[in-house]
Amino acid sequence: MSNQGNIELLGATLAKAKSEDRAALVAYLPAGFPTVDGGIEAVKAIIEGGADVVEIGLPHSDPVLDGAVIQTADDIALRGGVKIADVLRTVREAFEATGVPILVMTYWNPIDRYGVERFTAELAAAGGAGCILPDLPVQESALWREHAAKHGLATVFVVAPSSKDERLATITAAGSGFVYAASLMGVTGTRESVGNEAQELVRRTRTTTDLPVCVGLGVSNAVQAKQVAGFADGVIVGSAFVKLLLDAPDLPAGLSAVRALAGELAEGVRRS
């Protein structure tokens, strides 16, 4: 019997949030930051604060889709010598401690080098729920999806406002778990139009799929979380947590800060 991952737990978690008339709070942190052990503690603190789902980043030397804050954290993790084994340990320990669905967000190259079969088997064995693969083209994803499905792992693809309708349908048909709708929050003053752009992307995506649609939009506070929760199934927050850990004078202060922010965001995604 092959190890089975937790795609069903992910689905049940998102469905439960919907049944409570709220969006799910999805948090992101890179593995190995500020250290491997500190990162595991930070994930637990965010879940204690109220995160429903967590994405663990696999630090990469050229994180093309990540902003400066996450690049800084990735750099710290890489200088600390973080390995795929540490990413898997982060997933395992966070899942065992909390029972919350944990995904890995990674660029394709590290998995390709590690071996698709090996990575999917080990992620499932660690209790992982799946992977978000921002730079894997759908048309090149068959091998990954075959092994992910075999091991009970979700394959989450990223869509953007620039994705044409036909392309959206292709992407969502190939994915599982949820769809990651990426829409960057612009500079101050353009937020309303960018929010509308994200809302329109969610609407277009929903015409192609029954999968939940979660939005990563530069959300950093409860007001923004409530705005996005008004139209999305999940609100994804990453840089705001990472920045708190970067700015904290020490790890205990950082853990308190991310736990508190998760609590505020968890209130924000409750639409009432």
Side-chain angles (χ1 to χ4, degrees), residues 232-248:
D233 298 297
V235 179
I236 301 169
V237 180
S239 296
F241 288 119
V242 174
K243 189 171 190 319
L244 288 175
L245 288 170
L246 280 171
D247 292 348

Side-chain angles (χ1 to χ4, degrees), residues 200-225:
E200 176 63 9
L201 174 59
V202 171
R203 187 195 64 74
R204 290 170 53 220
T205 303
R206 284 204 175 121
T207 66
T208 70
T209 183
D210 291 329
L211 289 172
V213 183
C214 300
V215 172
L217 193 89
V219 171
S220 61
N221 60 50
V223 173
Q224 293 167 339

Side-chain angles (χ1 to χ4, degrees), residues 109-164:
N109 181 261
I111 292 188
D112 196 35
R113 286 208 310 258
Y114 195 77
V116 175
E117 167 61 21
R118 180 183 176 201
F119 185 84
T120 51
E122 292 181 8
L123 180 57
C131 260
I132 300 153
L133 300 159
D135 68 339
L136 176 64
V138 170
Q139 61 272 22
E140 294 170 28
S141 67
L143 178 70
W144 164 267
R145 287 187 286 133
E146 177 195 336
H147 287 296
K150 183 171 89 175
H151 289 294
L153 297 169
T155 298
V156 177
F157 288 116
V158 178
V159 298
S162 57
S163 306
K164 303 276 182 279

Side-chain angles (χ1 to χ4, degrees), residues 62-93:
D62 182 29
V64 287
L65 294 181
D66 297 308
V69 170
I70 289 170
Q71 287 190 24
T72 300
D74 275 6
D75 193 49
I76 290 167
L78 291 165
R79 282 204 307 256
V82 71
K83 302 274 184 287
I84 286 181
D86 300 312
V87 178
L88 294 165
R89 178 161 82 86
T90 301
V91 172
R92 178 182 300 107
E93 294 195 12

